[in-house]
PDB file of all heavy atoms in Angstrom:
ATOM      1  N   LEU A  16       1.528  13.185  -1.795  1.00  0.00           N
ATOM      2  CA  LEU A  16       1.282  12.978  -3.127  1.00  0.00           C
ATOM      3  C   LEU A  16       2.651  12.223  -3.757  1.00  0.00           C
ATOM      4  O   LEU A  16       2.471  11.218  -4.409  1.00  0.00           O
ATOM      5  CB  LEU A  16       1.034  14.096  -3.949  1.00  0.00           C
ATOM      6  CG  LEU A  16       0.613  14.117  -5.374  1.00  0.00           C
ATOM      7  CD1 LEU A  16      -0.586  13.060  -5.466  1.00  0.00           C
ATOM      8  CD2 LEU A  16       0.275  15.336  -5.929  1.00  0.00           C
ATOM      9  N   ALA A  21       5.133   7.605  -5.828  1.00  0.00           N
ATOM     10  CA  ALA A  21       6.328   6.726  -5.791  1.00  0.00           C
ATOM     11  C   ALA A  21       6.063   5.329  -5.426  1.00  0.00           C
ATOM     12  O   ALA A  21       6.633   4.373  -5.973  1.00  0.00           O
ATOM     13  CB  ALA A  21       7.396   7.378  -4.761  1.00  0.00           C
ATOM     14  N   MET A  29       1.723  -2.271  -7.649  1.00  0.00           N
ATOM     15  CA  MET A  29       0.457  -2.120  -8.263  1.00  0.00           C
ATOM     16  C   MET A  29      -0.360  -3.427  -8.288  1.00  0.00           C
ATOM     17  O   MET A  29      -1.501  -3.497  -8.135  1.00  0.00           O
ATOM     18  CB  MET A  29       0.558  -1.516  -9.721  1.00  0.00           C
ATOM     19  CG  MET A  29       0.969  -0.101  -9.730  1.00  0.00           C
ATOM     20  SD  MET A  29       1.080   0.590 -11.271  1.00  0.00           S
ATOM     21  CE  MET A  29      -0.579   0.455 -11.988  1.00  0.00           C
ATOM     22  N   ARG A  30       0.359  -4.537  -8.591  1.00  0.00           N
ATOM     23  CA  ARG A  30      -0.420  -5.773  -8.669  1.00  0.00           C
ATOM     24  C   ARG A  30      -0.800  -6.255  -7.286  1.00  0.00           C
ATOM     25  O   ARG A  30      -1.970  -6.793  -7.178  1.00  0.00           O
ATOM     26  CB  ARG A  30       0.693  -6.918  -9.175  1.00  0.00           C
ATOM     27  CG  ARG A  30       1.037  -6.903 -10.630  1.00  0.00           C
ATOM     28  CD  ARG A  30       1.794  -7.992 -11.109  1.00  0.00           C
ATOM     29  NE  ARG A  30       2.404  -7.759 -12.498  1.00  0.00           N
ATOM     30  CZ  ARG A  30       3.531  -7.281 -12.891  1.00  0.00           C
ATOM     31  NH1 ARG A  30       4.517  -7.054 -11.821  1.00  0.00           N
ATOM     32  NH2 ARG A  30       3.826  -7.043 -14.092  1.00  0.00           N
ATOM     33  N   VAL A  31      -0.111  -6.073  -6.180  1.00  0.00           N
ATOM     34  CA  VAL A  31      -0.534  -6.256  -4.950  1.00  0.00           C
ATOM     35  C   VAL A  31      -1.822  -5.451  -4.700  1.00  0.00           C
ATOM     36  O   VAL A  31      -2.872  -6.199  -4.138  1.00  0.00           O
ATOM     37  CB  VAL A  31       0.418  -5.912  -3.780  1.00  0.00           C
ATOM     38  CG1 VAL A  31      -0.134  -5.928  -2.391  1.00  0.00           C
ATOM     39  CG2 VAL A  31       1.645  -6.752  -3.950  1.00  0.00           C
ATOM     40  N   GLY A  38      -9.894  -9.294  -4.739  1.00  0.00           N
ATOM     41  CA  GLY A  38     -10.260 -10.482  -3.889  1.00  0.00           C
ATOM     42  C   GLY A  38     -10.319 -10.229  -2.404  1.00  0.00           C
ATOM     43  O   GLY A  38     -10.594 -11.238  -1.702  1.00  0.00           O
ATOM     44  N   ILE A  52       5.722 -14.254  -6.613  1.00  0.00           N
ATOM     45  CA  ILE A  52       6.902 -13.864  -6.093  1.00  0.00           C
ATOM     46  C   ILE A  52       7.206 -14.371  -4.727  1.00  0.00           C
ATOM     47  O   ILE A  52       6.270 -14.962  -4.130  1.00  0.00           O
ATOM     48  CB  ILE A  52       6.923 -12.155  -6.047  1.00  0.00           C
ATOM     49  CG1 ILE A  52       5.786 -11.657  -5.121  1.00  0.00           C
ATOM     50  CG2 ILE A  52       6.683 -11.543  -7.472  1.00  0.00           C
ATOM     51  CD1 ILE A  52       5.723 -10.259  -4.924  1.00  0.00           C
ATOM     52  N   LYS A  62       5.353  -3.593   3.093  1.00  0.00           N
ATOM     53  CA  LYS A  62       5.781  -2.588   4.040  1.00  0.00           C
ATOM     54  C   LYS A  62       5.652  -1.150   3.497  1.00  0.00           C
ATOM     55  O   LYS A  62       5.218  -0.145   4.120  1.00  0.00           O
ATOM     56  CB  LYS A  62       7.323  -2.814   4.520  1.00  0.00           C
ATOM     57  CG  LYS A  62       7.346  -3.775   5.581  1.00  0.00           C
ATOM     58  CD  LYS A  62       8.877  -3.932   6.120  1.00  0.00           C
ATOM     59  CE  LYS A  62       8.970  -4.829   7.162  1.00  0.00           C
ATOM     60  NZ  LYS A  62      10.371  -4.900   7.781  1.00  0.00           N
ATOM     61  N   GLU A  65       2.072  -0.291   3.020  1.00  0.00           N
ATOM     62  CA  GLU A  65       1.499   0.064   4.382  1.00  0.00           C
ATOM     63  C   GLU A  65       2.004   1.419   4.886  1.00  0.00           C
ATOM     64  O   GLU A  65       1.148   2.275   5.348  1.00  0.00           O
ATOM     65  CB  GLU A  65       1.912  -1.037   5.347  1.00  0.00           C
ATOM     66  CG  GLU A  65       1.063  -1.076   6.667  1.00  0.00           C
ATOM     67  CD  GLU A  65       1.269  -2.190   7.524  1.00  0.00           C
ATOM     68  OE1 GLU A  65       2.210  -2.986   7.316  1.00  0.00           O
ATOM     69  OE2 GLU A  65       0.570  -2.377   8.576  1.00  0.00           O
ATOM     70  N   ALA A  82       0.376 -17.822  13.655  1.00  0.00           N
ATOM     71  CA  ALA A  82       0.100 -16.380  13.364  1.00  0.00           C
ATOM     72  C   ALA A  82       0.117 -16.033  11.919  1.00  0.00           C
ATOM     73  O   ALA A  82       1.060 -16.554  11.145  1.00  0.00           O
ATOM     74  CB  ALA A  82       1.301 -15.588  14.074  1.00  0.00           C
ATOM     75  N   SER A  99      -4.384  19.968  -9.250  1.00  0.00           N
ATOM     76  CA  SER A  99      -4.097  19.328  -7.933  1.00  0.00           C
ATOM     77  C   SER A  99      -2.501  19.257  -7.584  1.00  0.00           C
ATOM     78  O   SER A  99      -2.210  19.485  -6.533  1.00  0.00           O
ATOM     79  CB  SER A  99      -4.744  17.944  -7.884  1.00  0.00           C
ATOM     80  OG  SER A  99      -4.103  17.028  -8.785  1.00  0.00           O
TER      81      SER A  99
END
Side-chain angles (χ1 to χ4, degrees):
L16 189 57
M29 285 184 63
R30 287 184 190 103
V31 169
I52 61 175
K62 277 185 177 182
E65 195 171 12
S99 67

